[in-house]
């Protein structure tokens, strides 16, 4: 029974730290501010989220250093940006500020969410 409890605890602990950005577990990101931007997925009602905490990104990596990955290295898909905000708040980064910018490529509006680490 004790072994089962320890295995279950380690499984839960491993899951809690399994989401990463740029190979850094979400809970281990040690910065005060994070910015997220949500993007709709083609033929899906889910959204992808780019997460920027000032990390060093590789020149040819594109957005790969900004996305949240699960324990298998797959992109975490959120039901909505609110789902992503709730996820980040649960990981110690509640919403601080929201602003919008025009995308000159297609004249759409991009919403940026600024999160601030709980102290």
């Amino acid at each position: 029974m004790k072994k089962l409890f320890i295995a279950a605890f380690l499984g839960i602990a491993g899951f809690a730290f399994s989401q990463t950005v740029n190979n850094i577990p979400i809970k281990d990101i040690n910065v005060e501010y994070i910015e997220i931007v949500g993007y709709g997925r083609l033929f899906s009602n889910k959204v992808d989220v780019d997460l920027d905490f000032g990390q060093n990104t590789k020149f040819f990596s594109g957005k790969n250093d900004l996305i949240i990955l699960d324990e298998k290295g797959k992109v975490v898909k959120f039901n909505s940006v609110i789902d992503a905000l709730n996820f980040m708040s649960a990981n110690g980064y509640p919403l601080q500020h929201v602003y919008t910018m025009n995308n000159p490529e297609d004249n759409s509006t991009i919403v940026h969410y600024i999160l601030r680490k709980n102290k």
Side-chain angles (χ1 to χ4, degrees):
M1 185 65 160
K2 187 175 184 180
K3 288 181 185 180
L4 179 63
F5 175 77
I6 291 171
F9 175 77
L10 291 176
I12 291 170
F15 178 75
F17 291 98
S18 59
Q19 289 83 14
T20 63
V21 176
N22 204 9
N23 294 319
I24 299 172
I26 297 285
K27 290 191 180 244
D28 291 346
I29 297 172
N30 191 20
V31 296
E32 189 169 354
Y33 294 98
I34 289 179
E35 177 183 58
I36 65 173
V37 178
Y39 298 93
R41 299 176 55 81
L42 191 60
F43 306 114
S44 175
N45 60 353
K46 306 255 184 205
V47 296
D48 289 335
V49 171
D50 286 353
L51 193 143
D52 181 2
F53 57 90
Q55 67 269 42
N56 187 17
T57 58
K58 298 173 190 79
F59 185 71
F60 292 108
S61 68
K63 292 172 48 172
N64 291 338
D65 292 336
L66 303 174
I67 55 178
I68 300 172
L69 301 175
D70 67 12
E71 66 278 356
K72 295 179 182 176
K74 296 191 181 213
V75 176
V76 174
K77 298 175 183 108
F78 295 99
N79 294 321
S80 65
V81 174
I82 296 298
D83 187 23
L85 290 171
N86 284 330
F87 170 82
M88 290 304 297
S89 182
N91 281 281
Y93 285 90
L95 181 64
Q96 182 74 27
H97 181 73
V98 179
Y99 70 94
T100 60
M101 293 182 68
N102 271 346
N103 182 353
E105 294 177 12
D106 62 3
N107 206 27
S108 64
T109 300
I110 301 173
V111 182
H112 298 256
Y113 302 85
I114 306 297
L115 315 174
R116 186 171 186 187
K117 187 173 190 171
N118 283 332
K119 295 200 180 212

